[in-house]
Amino acid sequence: MNFKFLIHEGKTQNLKLGEAGFTLIELLVVLVILSLLAALVGPTLVERLKPAKRTAAQTQIEEFVAALDNYYVDVGRYPTTAEGLQALLEKPASAKKWNGPYLKKEIPLDPWGNPFVYRCPGQHGAYDLLSYGADGKEGGEGENADVTSWESNKK
């Protein structure tokens, strides 16, 4: 006969094999319950992430806006479209009074993994700064809607 030994509070106890532990059925029941919980919570979690990405894009744009304003104060103009947002990190040849870098880190991609779009002069102000949203295309609705610097400034 096979025996296992269990040491509990300094005492050794003999247990027959199969008396302690979980059965395969018990483990399967636990896995089914965990799977059901994941199926119920998973979609809710994904839906909560969608507005979070839009908020993250707006926050990134606002940080760029602050850096662009600091650039403007020092240089007297915003970076051209050709210079792009990279002018916030590296001095362009045409910027005489550049006092950067104006960003602490490298220029990030938007929360959907696409580059931000920067145009100067802009159609909506001195410059346009935007993310095309989840679809990476201009326009769209919901999660695919553009996140822009000119709409962020209105709020």
Side-chain angles (χ1 to χ4, degrees):
M1 197 181 261
N2 293 329
F3 290 96
K4 282 202 254 183
F5 295 99
L6 176 68
I7 299 175
H8 181 67
E9 298 178 3
K11 299 178 185 176
T12 304
Q13 298 176 348
N14 290 335
L15 298 174
K16 288 184 181 177
L17 203 57
E19 287 183 358
F22 298 105
T23 66
L24 181 60
I25 300 289
E26 291 169 330
L27 290 175
L28 288 174
V29 168
V30 169
L31 286 174
V32 167
I33 291 170
L34 289 175
S35 298
L36 288 172
L37 283 173
L40 293 172
V41 173
T44 304
L45 194 60
V46 170
E47 287 301 315
R48 295 215 24 146
L49 287 176
K50 289 179 182 178
K53 286 187 176 187
R54 292 193 59 76
T55 302
Q58 278 183 309
T59 302
Q60 287 176 319
I61 286 175
E62 289 168 7
E63 289 177 20
F64 285 132
V65 166
L68 286 164
D69 289 343
N70 288 334
Y71 181 97
Y72 181 86
V73 167
D74 290 344
V75 179
R77 64 171 178 82
Y78 291 108
T80 64
T81 302
E83 293 168 338
L85 295 174
Q86 196 61 33
L88 300 173
L89 292 173
E90 299 170 4
K91 180 181 179 184
S94 62
K96 303 292 183 221
K97 296 180 183 178
W98 191 85
N99 194 25
Y102 299 94
L103 294 173
K104 294 178 182 177
K105 300 177 186 175
E106 289 296 313
I107 297 167
L109 297 174
D110 71 11
W112 298 278
N114 301 313
F116 285 92
V117 177
Y118 174 77
R119 296 184 288 242
C120 184
Q123 299 170 350
H124 302 276
Y127 60 85
D128 291 348
L129 181 58
L130 63 143
S131 164
Y132 285 142
D135 63 356
K137 298 176 186 172
E138 193 168 0
E141 294 179 12
E143 187 182 0
N144 295 332
D146 299 344
V147 181
T148 64
S149 60
W150 58 93
E151 289 175 354
S152 294
N153 290 336
K154 290 180 185 176
K155 295 176 183 176

